Amino acid sequence: MIEIRGNEEVLTEGLARIIVPRLGSYVREDGKLEPAWMPVFYNPEATLSRDITVLYLSARFKHGLHFIDALAGTGVRGVRISLELGGEGVLNDVDPRAFHYIKRNISLNNLEDRVQAFNQEANTLLNMLTFTGIPFDFIDIDPYGSPIPYIDSAFKPLGKKASLGVTATDTAPLTCSNARKMLRRYWHRCVDVDFEKELGLRVLISNIVLRGAAHDIMLRPVVSFLYKHYYRVIFETVRNASLSLENLSKCVGNIWYCPESLERGLVENGEGEVKCAIGKPVLIRPLWVCELTSDKVVEDMLTEVARYPWIQRHTVKMLNVLVEEASVKTPYIRVDKVYSRLKKNMPPFNQLIEILQQHGFKVARTHLDPRGIKVDGDLSEAFKIMNALGR
């Protein structure tokens, strides 16, 4: 019998029952939960991330999997992977209090025969597990802050073909609110753009892809999103030097941006001549310039939803938006900034999208910014249409 203390509660997420510190004790004056105040980190807003992990692994691995959750907190992600997918693996956290919760949550869900708890520094554990002979199918890196200190170690225990889940909660440097930290941590000089949230995602991906290439590992992002305070990327990985080089050559390039005319676009291979309708373009590099999300992978995930009736409605909504976004490669446009430059009022979004589509443009809403749309085509012509629609 596992004792639940007075300052604790048991929550249900998916098929998992999880012992956590009583959430009501860590609510701020504005009524919001502050997980950072808790003795062991549990964030209900990351349920969407864990739902998406389950759906991805369900679509990707049909015959069981070995996994590592290197920064597990309460262990909820790994417990769900084991219960909902039959996975076998390792839950680890360096904090002794988290290790205490992980062990109890493994026992509470009767997973002692499938899941092992560790109390190690994450890099130490990942390096140690490299020599077990077990090819791990999925490794998850979900720290409080930047994932970069753990990425190189995470590559080592991966199987020949595997997957890597990465979360980054340091959205301030990634969106250039902290330019010095961006340069120091991600080797990228900040440029003032209107699509800074997408820029942050592309910086994160390119940095991890470049680090993987140094280990002869090819990484391809198949699910990428921003939700609330965190970025989340799931990569498919292949241990192959030739594929890694091909991936770098094709997908690490430039974004060009015209500060005066607000045009923008992607240039693969870091090549190509671009011109602005007004002024000169700024080149932003090196950046990931291929797809952020695979529509095929997300469509496969959506077919899995029926098997998991506890998946949240807003998780499904996010996946549907990601499928729509995947069809448009150009970085999103802040519509409010366009109309501010035009000194006109914005038309309704649906009307704007419909008119642009009637003129042959491929258009999609973006989850990254409620004020943004993604448009493929000649943006100088698109802006003329937008001008005519303004009031």
Side-chain angles (χ1 to χ4, degrees), residues 101-119:
Y101 276 91
I102 289 168
K103 289 191 297 180
R104 293 166 72 208
N105 284 325
I106 289 171
S107 297
L108 183 65
N109 290 278
N110 300 312
L111 292 173
E112 292 93 339
D113 60 336
R114 298 214 300 271
V115 180
Q116 191 171 359
F118 281 84
N119 183 206

Side-chain angles (χ1 to χ4, degrees), residues 73-278:
T74 60
V76 58
R77 190 187 303 270
V79 168
R80 286 191 61 182
I81 290 171
S82 190
L83 284 173
E84 296 170 31
L85 302 165
E88 299 181 12
V90 168
L91 298 183
N92 174 71
D93 205 289
V94 70
D95 189 330
R97 295 168 298 180
F99 178 61
H100 172 70
Y101 276 91
I102 289 168
K103 289 191 297 180
R104 293 166 72 208
N105 284 325
I106 289 171
S107 297
L108 183 65
N109 290 278
N110 300 312
L111 292 173
E112 292 93 339
D113 60 336
R114 298 214 300 271
V115 180
Q116 191 171 359
F118 281 84
N119 183 206
Q120 295 275 347
E121 192 277 326
N123 289 297
T124 302
L125 178 81
L126 291 163
N127 283 293
M128 179 183 74
L129 292 175
T130 304
F131 302 102
T132 63
I134 300 171
F136 286 94
D137 303 297
F138 178 69
I139 295 177
D140 198 88
I141 302 296
D142 185 2
Y144 183 72
S146 173
I148 295 304
Y150 311 100
I151 291 298
D152 287 287
S153 299
F155 295 134
K156 298 174 185 177
L158 285 170
K160 184 173 177 61
K161 290 186 177 181
S163 298
L164 174 69
V166 179
T167 303
T169 62
D170 57 334
T171 54
L174 281 167
T175 55
C176 284
S177 296
N178 189 327
R180 291 183 178 182
K181 192 171 285 187
M182 167 73 103
L183 179 59
R184 191 172 71 245
R185 187 173 288 167
Y186 294 100
W187 314 331
H188 184 84
R189 293 188 184 278
C190 284
V191 176
D192 186 20
V193 298
D194 64 333
F195 53 91
E196 70 280 353
K197 294 175 183 176
E198 181 170 339
L199 181 66
L201 193 52
R202 291 186 181 276
V203 167
L204 176 66
I205 291 169
S206 61
N207 189 283
I208 293 170
V209 168
L210 288 165
R211 290 174 187 272
H215 296 267
D216 293 338
I217 294 176
M218 188 279 290
L219 292 104
R220 180 174 75 101
V222 291
V223 185
S224 307
F225 62 90
L226 170 66
Y227 183 70
K228 302 285 186 179
H229 66 285
Y230 63 87
Y231 285 108
R232 176 74 173 170
V233 185
I234 300 177
F235 296 91
E236 290 188 348
T237 73
V238 181
R239 197 174 290 277
N240 184 299
S242 297
L243 287 177
S244 178
L245 179 60
E246 181 183 330
N247 191 44
L248 288 184
S249 301
K250 179 184 176 185
C251 291
V252 177
N254 302 335
I255 290 181
W256 59 271
Y257 178 66
C258 303
E260 294 181 59
S261 65
L262 298 181
E263 297 165 275
R264 78 284 317 274
L266 305 172
V267 183
E268 294 180 2
N269 304 315
E271 300 170 358
E273 186 175 335
V274 296
K275 293 183 179 179
C276 302
I278 307 171

Side-chain angles (χ1 to χ4, degrees), residues 45-93:
E45 289 188 344
T47 302
L48 177 140
S49 168
R50 295 186 283 267
D51 281 353
I52 286 176
T53 301
V54 166
L55 290 172
Y56 168 76
L57 294 175
S58 180
R60 173 74 170 78
F61 298 99
K62 298 299 185 183
H63 304 290
L65 72 152
H66 289 92
F67 69 91
I68 304 169
D69 188 348
L71 301 127
T74 60
V76 58
R77 190 187 303 270
V79 168
R80 286 191 61 182
I81 290 171
S82 190
L83 284 173
E84 296 170 31
L85 302 165
E88 299 181 12
V90 168
L91 298 183
N92 174 71
D93 205 289

Side-chain angles (χ1 to χ4, degrees), residues 278-290:
I278 307 171
K280 294 182 179 180
V282 176
L283 289 181
I284 311 168
R285 58 186 175 186
L287 281 177
W288 181 259
V289 295
C290 289

